[in-house]
Amino acid sequence: MVLSVQLRGSIFLVVTVCLLVVGICAPFSGHDLQRVMQIAIGFCAVLYGSSITPTEPWVDRQTAWGLALIVGLGLASSLLAHQPLWALTEMALFVSSAAIALAFASLRRYGGEPLDRVLLLIVVLLCLIKTLQYLYAGVLAFASGGHTMNPDLLLSSFSNKRFYGQFQTFTLPLLALPLLLPTVSRSLRGMAFALLCAWWLIAISGGTRGTWLGMAVAGMVVALIGPWGRRWLGWQLAGMLSGLWIYWLLFTVLATYLGIDTSNDASDRLTTSLSGRGPIWWQGWHMLTERPWLGFGPMHFADIANKVAAHPHQAVLQWASEWGVPSTLCVAFLAARSGWATIVVLRERAQFSERADLLRLCLFAALVGALTQSMVDGVLVMPTSQVWLALVVGWLMALHPWRTPVTASWPLAWRAWKLLSALAIALLVFVALRDVPHIKQAQRQYLDTLGSYLQPRFWAQGVIAR
């Protein structure tokens, strides 16, 4: 039985890695392909999750009842929404993300510590491919003989550089793990630091202020946890300063020597402007005050057309305006409760240098950075970010030790969850099969009649207002 579970987990992992490589690294990738990738991963996660029977519950009763309340409130909000099908589709994304998190948690629980190495290798592989793509594009740009250069054009596979920055917010903390492990050789440590510097170079070049803010808050939080947190912060600062120095050499010294003018310089992003967020924040606030109890319905910020975006670029405001204030308070309570439980474990094991303890620290830093960035960006909206958020949460769940004696699982609750996750992924597959064949035509029609650029939400053209 254990072997068969491990085999199914290996298949799920291989398929997921292949989908991540295509969605994140393929030059032709973008928002719509990444959404399809997310649905495919969710489908695999539901299949894998339904094939195993947990011997103990993943969450305690208070958390389980809180999640059930969120689902119930979301269902009521969806049924009362202007477009119930789209609202239920957003709910299905929430459920499928939870299914992905549980699949990764189960994978780590049954696979044990060797899978921590696999996770690190996956992160290194993805970041290495993206770094090579960036350097190759940079070489071509410098050798082209042009008089101007836009560093934004060196970024690939993401329809917006902020989405690229969200991916970096999840992976920058994990790239520091080899630098913390005492058993890593000096040569491997040097290569790991070189990759970290290159990844910071891309983060600086991309100019995503949400990534900078998220990493700054994550650094301050983990530095208070213990000596390993401060060491993690030290490596990140060294990587950031090295990346900044390389950026200056490339885009100032070398560009000036070759007579190339640089547009969209990273220094131009060092502002306190809201970048158009003011109007959409006001829209979210008005929606919240108009319907505080159940909101307008999941995804229904996109049902009120505006000239800026199909989501408010602020996680709390988005959830409150669409799902309602009671659901938002429940989510905030569960997030704070889970975060505090993780901090307690990190503080208790602050002096330990086992791989699992150091990985827990890096995962927690990634989670803090991503949640911070979600206060100013669409981390809870973009497909790649949703997958990585589920991965980080699921791995942290698997690493978390139970404080109480292990109890038996809840068979009825598990069967209800399997039914709910199956219905959710079935709805997502239905929406994908319905929309993907006509998605380019719908985008052209929108651009020709309603807007000058696409506003991503579920699809790259995310406005659902009729």
Side-chain angles (χ1 to χ4, degrees):
M1 180 62 181
V2 174
L3 291 177
S4 61
V5 169
Q6 291 179 345
L7 179 60
R8 289 193 293 267
S10 300
I11 296 173
F12 166 71
L13 181 62
V14 171
V15 174
T16 299
V17 171
C18 293
L19 291 170
L20 286 175
V21 170
V22 173
I24 294 173
C25 301
F28 53 83
S29 183
H31 183 93
D32 293 329
L33 179 60
Q34 289 169 357
R35 182 67 74 191
V36 174
M37 173 269 295
Q38 178 192 15
I39 295 173
I41 292 177
F43 181 80
C44 296
V46 171
L47 286 180
Y48 173 56
S50 63
S51 67
I52 60 177
T53 302
T55 57
E56 59 188 82
W58 278 113
V59 296
D60 56 20
R61 291 187 180 275
Q62 292 84 352
T63 303
W65 281 111
L67 292 172
L69 179 60
I70 293 171
V71 171
L73 290 172
L75 182 60
S77 177
S78 299
L79 295 177
L80 295 174
H82 178 227
Q83 300 191 58
L85 183 59
W86 275 122
L88 291 172
T89 302
E90 182 85 339
M91 268 202 68
L93 275 179
F94 169 73
V95 174
S96 67
S97 296
I100 295 173
L102 287 180
F104 280 118
S106 302
L107 185 69
R108 172 56 175 83
R109 172 182 285 181
Y110 291 110
E113 188 175 352
L115 280 179
D116 294 341
R117 299 186 182 91
V118 175
L119 174 62
L120 179 60
L121 288 175
I122 293 171
V123 172
V124 170
L125 173 66
L126 292 173
C127 295
L128 181 60
I129 293 175
K130 298 305 297 178
T131 298
L132 293 176
Q133 288 178 337
Y134 180 87
L135 295 177
Y136 177 72
V139 170
L140 291 181
F142 277 108
S144 66
H147 297 292
T148 60
M149 175 186 295
N150 184 354
D152 290 353
L153 300 180
L154 306 183
L155 307 175
S156 62
S157 307
F158 288 84
S159 55
N160 190 301
K161 65 180 182 179
R162 286 195 299 272
F163 310 159
Y164 199 130
Q166 294 170 18
F167 171 61
Q168 291 194 285
T169 304
F170 283 106
T171 49
L172 273 169
L174 296 172
L175 286 181
L177 179 60
L179 303 171
L180 300 177
L181 294 172
T183 57
V184 173
S185 64
R186 182 172 297 181
S187 58
L188 288 178
R189 198 184 301 271
M191 289 186 287
F193 182 68
L195 181 58
L196 179 65
C197 295
W199 207 228
W200 265 110
L201 165 66
I202 299 174
I204 294 169
S205 172
T208 303
R209 290 177 294 171
T211 297
W212 304 345
L213 176 64
M215 290 299 295
V217 174
M220 289 186 291
V221 171
V222 299
L224 298 175
I225 290 176
W228 286 106
R230 289 185 285 274
R231 190 169 299 183
W232 178 92
L233 177 59
W235 281 115
Q236 292 292 348
L237 288 174
M240 180 196 68
L241 293 175
S242 300
L244 184 61
W245 179 68
I246 298 172
Y247 178 88
W248 175 75
L249 288 178
L250 290 177
F251 296 102
T252 300
V253 177
L254 180 59
T256 302
Y257 176 76
L258 297 176
I260 299 175
D261 294 328
T262 302
S263 61
N264 289 327
D265 191 79
S267 60
D268 298 336
R269 301 286 293 169
L270 296 176
T271 68
T272 57
S273 68
L274 294 178
S275 300
R277 289 174 175 82
I280 54 178
W281 284 359
W282 274 114
Q283 177 178 319
W285 176 255
H286 289 312
M287 292 171 63
L288 163 63
T289 56
E290 185 174 344
R291 298 185 185 177
W293 295 107
L294 291 175
F296 275 67
M299 206 189 292
H300 272 58
F301 189 94
D303 191 46
I304 304 174
N306 62 72
K307 297 181 180 181
V308 182
H311 58 98
H313 291 66
Q314 216 284 340
V316 176
L317 198 57
Q318 175 183 324
W319 201 280
S321 63
E322 295 185 342
W323 295 63
V325 174
S327 178
T328 304
L329 293 176
C330 191
V331 171
F333 173 76
L334 292 181
R337 188 167 178 263
S338 303
W340 180 251
T342 304
I343 290 175
V344 170
V345 176
L346 288 170
R347 291 287 294 175
E348 290 180 351
R349 302 191 63 82
Q351 304 297 328
F352 291 85
S353 60
E354 280 77 6
R355 184 187 301 270
D357 295 313
L358 298 177
L359 177 59
R360 183 187 293 111
L361 176 71
C362 295
L363 288 170
F364 182 70
L367 182 61
V368 172
L371 292 180
T372 301
Q373 188 172 359
S374 73
M375 297 297 105
V376 295
D377 214 342
V379 175
L380 300 186
V381 173
M382 299 307 135
T384 300
S385 301
Q386 290 175 337
V387 171
W388 279 89
L389 182 61
L391 186 151
V392 169
V393 171
W395 222 275
L396 281 172
M397 288 174 61
L399 294 176
H400 189 77
W402 280 90
R403 295 293 174 181
T404 57
V406 176
T407 59
S409 61
W410 312 320
L412 182 60
W414 183 249
R415 286 195 292 269
W417 164 251
K418 289 198 294 185
L419 176 62
L420 178 63
S421 58
L423 292 174
I425 203 64
L427 176 58
L428 293 176
V429 171
F430 164 76
V431 172
L433 292 175
R434 181 197 65 184
D435 292 349
V436 168
H438 315 288
I439 205 163
K440 294 299 181 183
Q441 177 184 353
Q443 290 177 2
R444 286 195 299 269
Q445 181 180 2
Y446 175 81
L447 292 175
D448 292 340
T449 58
L450 297 175
S452 58
Y453 60 92
L454 299 177
Q455 300 180 19
R457 186 63 193 256
F458 188 85
W459 300 118
Q461 195 303 93
V463 178
I464 62 174
R466 296 290 185 261

